Amino acid sequence: RTELVQWAIRGGGDLFYLPSGAITAGAGLEYRSNDFIQINDPQYIAGNITGSGFKRNSSGSDYVKSYYGQLILPIFGGQWSWPGMRLLEVDLSGRYDDYSSFGEAYKPKISIRYKPFDDLTLRAAYSESFRAPSVQELFTGPLEAFNFVVDPVTGTQPEVGLVTVGNPNLKPETGYSYYAGAVWSPGSSDPEHSWWGWANGFTAYIDWVQITKHNVIQE
């Protein structure tokens, strides 16, 4: 069985206003503990039952303390805007985690939204991420099974034993994400007076995303 305990405190809102818009901030705290307990039939452990099964008891626990925050800065926009610089907004965020299983990690994210004109929005973002191994992946006892494989030489399909077991030395998966995109909505801001008013209701998107993973635990 697994036992999960989790609590979180979050808050945020507008801090103050500039002619370009509201500066918004948010932050939070989290705590999570996860216990894994595996108790098997004594006959499985003794080997008196044929077939696959766990061959020993196993248990383990992991806990994580997390802190995160976000700050949205409107550099241009509202009263501070003109053709070519209708809006420029920066979104900064980050998350810090302290795991009992592998230690500390800090992952940032930054995104930018820019509107040279009311009908065109350009966006870009960079972020880092990770996935910590679960308590099952860390502490599960040996699981025996049998699979058929194909012998490329003889063409036969012999049955072979397969043992799966948790690895307490697993490291977290890490990832790096890159994003760029644009949205064009011709005539949407003022269809009656815009040269593109005839195309009001049409929207075109273009997006590019790249995600790189390292230390992948399993596919």
Side-chain angles (χ1 to χ4, degrees):
R1 71 179 187 270
T2 59
E3 297 176 354
L4 177 66
V5 176
Q6 182 174 3
W7 61 259
I9 301 174
R10 305 183 183 94
D14 295 339
L15 298 181
F16 53 89
Y17 292 86
L18 299 173
S20 57
I23 294 181
T24 305
L29 306 175
E30 287 186 5
Y31 173 83
R32 184 177 73 251
S33 65
N34 200 349
D35 297 311
F36 174 75
I37 303 168
Q38 177 184 303
I39 302 175
N40 304 296
D41 189 298
Q43 300 302 324
Y44 266 109
I45 297 176
N48 294 329
I49 298 178
T50 60
S52 61
F54 293 98
K55 296 304 181 182
R56 62 176 171 82
N57 295 331
S58 181
S59 64
S61 62
D62 190 20
Y63 66 85
V64 56
K65 296 177 288 185
S66 304
Y67 313 89
Y68 47 86
Q70 182 180 24
L71 181 65
I72 300 176
L73 301 172
I75 300 175
F76 294 100
Q79 300 177 20
W80 286 353
S81 68
W82 52 83
M85 186 59 73
R86 287 302 185 191
L87 183 142
L88 178 61
E89 183 180 88
V90 178
D91 187 340
L92 305 172
S93 58
R95 183 183 180 96
Y96 167 84
D97 295 281
D98 185 3
Y99 279 82
S100 62
S101 55
F102 68 86
E104 303 174 346
Y106 171 75
K107 298 300 178 182
K109 178 180 179 180
I110 179 172
S111 59
I112 298 174
R113 187 162 64 104
Y114 168 56
K115 298 183 69 170
F117 307 101
D118 292 329
D119 301 338
L120 178 63
T121 301
L122 305 177
R123 297 175 294 189
Y126 167 79
S127 63
E128 300 178 9
S129 62
F130 73 98
R131 184 184 78 83
S134 67
V135 288
Q136 291 89 345
E137 292 167 332
L138 292 170
F139 305 116
T140 295
L143 172 62
E144 296 181 358
F146 294 91
N147 284 350
F148 289 97
V149 297
V150 177
D151 188 327
V153 176
T154 64
T156 59
Q157 296 185 359
E159 188 178 34
V160 298
L162 177 67
V163 178
T164 304
V165 64
N167 180 3
N169 297 316
L170 282 176
K171 300 302 180 182
E173 298 179 4
T174 57
Y176 302 87
S177 301
Y178 309 86
Y179 167 79
V183 180
W184 182 43
S185 301
S188 60
S189 61
D190 188 4
E192 294 185 359
H193 301 91
S194 173
W195 187 87
W196 294 97
W198 58 272
N200 184 34
F202 170 80
T203 300
Y205 300 84
I206 182 170
D207 295 284
W208 172 82
V209 178
Q210 177 177 311
I211 300 176
T212 304
K213 291 184 177 181
H214 300 275
N215 300 325
V216 175
I217 297 175
Q218 61 180 4
E219 295 293 344

